[in-house]
Amino acid sequence: MPAAFPNRPGAASPEDRRPSANPWKVDLRELGRRAGSLHELDRTAPAPEGWGLELIRVPGGAEVHLRLRLESVMEGVLVSGDLDVPVVGSCARCLEPIEDTLALDVQELYAYAGSTTEATSEEDEVRRVEGDFLDLEPLARDTIVLSLPLSPVCDEDCGGLCVGCGQRVDDLPEDHTHEVTDPRWAALAERFASSPGTPGESTTPEEN
């Protein structure tokens, strides 16, 4: 009997459900477990939503470029190389939009199940080989998010915003200033400004 609703919209095919269909997962069967075996990986994978901080993030779906070297060692698979990732955000000083591409180095050991490294390490201390596959997504996420600046700037010399008018300081002329009244004299200045008559004239009737 044919499977029910085999072609319904949104249904995942057997190929889509396989780990090899996920660009973040690497099939290790070609690499093998012989120590010293090497495999080079050059691919792009889409960034999931949520990789970022308050002022800077990786756009969801943006392509992360992976250039990695996978080496089979006694305890597992050593992954090393670099990745390029686009980021967007706002300058912490002037709030101008930021667009950049980060180039980051990575190096991580994925331990085989039953290896000494796997047996003597806590769950969150070492990454693990999942059957015949490596999941590179957590490694990329941690590397990228931990590399993002808490206070990104559009330029190291960014002057921020003018406290008087709120405009970007770097866009204002060098002689841009604002008259600042000492708050201790503000009440007195307001009193003089609201007094009738011409400055210098007495408001008291002259005596004959």
Side-chain angles (χ1 to χ4, degrees):
M1 178 181 296
F5 308 109
N7 297 316
R8 71 183 186 277
S13 68
E15 182 67 24
D16 291 334
R17 290 193 294 267
R18 291 176 56 194
S20 57
N22 182 344
W24 287 108
K25 291 202 172 184
V26 180
D27 191 332
L28 297 177
R29 287 173 290 190
E30 183 178 342
L31 176 66
R33 289 202 174 194
R34 184 170 60 85
S37 297
L38 300 175
H39 177 67
E40 292 188 349
L41 180 71
D42 191 331
R43 69 171 62 167
T44 59
E49 296 285 350
W51 286 10
L53 304 176
E54 183 178 358
L55 292 177
I56 191 167
R57 61 183 175 82
V58 180
E63 290 191 344
V64 181
H65 189 187
L66 308 167
R67 293 180 297 274
L68 302 175
R69 172 189 172 105
L70 280 60
E71 181 178 1
S72 180
V73 295
M74 293 296 296
E75 292 295 304
V77 178
L78 180 63
V79 177
S80 58
D82 59 84
L83 56 85
D84 297 331
V85 56
V87 294
V88 296
S90 301
C91 176
R93 298 177 189 172
C94 70
L95 305 182
E96 282 291 296
I98 294 175
E99 290 187 15
D100 199 1
T101 298
L102 301 182
L104 305 172
D105 295 328
V106 294
Q107 186 173 52
E108 191 80 15
L109 173 66
Y110 284 75
Y112 290 135
S115 66
T116 302
T117 299
E118 193 268 351
T120 58
S121 302
E122 296 295 333
E123 185 68 28
D124 58 350
E125 289 181 342
V126 64
R127 303 187 193 280
R128 290 167 167 77
V129 175
E130 301 173 1
D132 292 322
F133 295 88
L134 288 186
D135 187 357
L136 297 174
E137 184 181 323
L139 172 61
R141 177 198 62 217
D142 293 349
T143 300
I144 293 168
V145 174
L146 291 174
S147 299
L148 295 176
L150 293 174
S151 300
V153 292
C154 59
D155 187 272
E156 291 298 330
D157 297 323
C158 175
L161 300 176
C162 174
V163 295
C165 63
Q167 297 187 57
R168 191 168 180 264
V169 170
D170 293 344
D171 296 335
L172 297 173
E174 293 185 2
D175 59 351
H176 177 77
T177 59
H178 291 278
E179 182 179 350
V180 180
T181 303
D182 190 319
R184 293 172 297 179
W185 299 101
L188 184 60
E190 183 179 350
R191 179 179 177 184
F192 275 107
S194 60
S195 297
T198 303
E201 290 187 353
S202 173
T203 58
T204 304
E206 295 184 0
E207 296 182 359
N208 293 329

